[in-house]
Amino acid sequence: AVQGFDSLIIMTTALKDSVNALFWVAMIMLVVEMMFALLLNQVLVALVFGAGHEYSDADQTLLFEYFGTFLRAMLTMFQLTLGTWVPVARILQETVSPYFNIFTILHKVII
């Protein structure tokens, strides 16, 4: 009867031993996401809300909803990573600059 459970024991042991590595991968991913969120937050706030640039109120509101604070930018970064990245890329392209497509593609390749 025990012979039938050999593969189950091997799989559970492998899962148990991989938890430590999974934890550190998640921590590294969190730190990288935080860096991208801070970068985009600071760049977009300075660019859109700074002097000399004329953005409509609707565009400013839209960009603030996605990148206005660190927590909003962090949520957007997780959306880029784990969810639908195309709407965010389109907003950056249409509202700010087409060069932000390079950022979103690099983000998808790195993460």
Side-chain angles (χ1 to χ4, degrees):
V2 175
Q3 289 177 339
F5 292 108
D6 286 344
S7 59
L8 180 64
I9 291 171
I10 291 171
M11 287 189 302
T12 56
T13 303
L15 284 173
K16 184 181 70 167
D17 292 340
S18 67
V19 169
N20 191 27
L22 179 64
F23 171 77
W24 286 112
V25 166
M27 288 298 107
I28 290 170
M29 184 177 162
L30 180 67
V31 168
V32 170
E33 290 291 313
M34 289 173 67
M35 289 186 332
F36 274 115
L38 283 171
L39 174 71
L40 265 181
N41 174 261
Q42 293 301 309
V43 167
L44 288 174
V45 165
L47 184 67
V48 173
F49 300 105
H53 290 55
E54 295 297 324
Y55 288 93
S56 69
D57 289 341
D59 288 345
Q60 287 183 354
T61 302
L62 182 64
L63 288 171
F64 182 81
E65 287 175 0
Y66 280 90
F67 301 102
T69 64
F70 170 71
L71 293 178
R72 289 174 187 257
M74 192 71 186
L75 181 63
T76 303
M77 289 298 100
F78 275 108
Q79 179 183 357
L80 280 171
T81 304
L82 303 173
T84 56
W85 63 278
V86 176
V88 177
R90 293 261 184 223
I91 288 169
L92 288 173
Q93 173 185 333
E94 300 297 329
T95 307
V96 184
S97 172
Y99 293 114
F100 275 94
N101 284 337
I102 297 169
F103 171 81
T104 55
I105 291 171
L106 282 175
H107 181 270
K108 289 303 290 183
V109 170
I110 291 172
I111 301 293

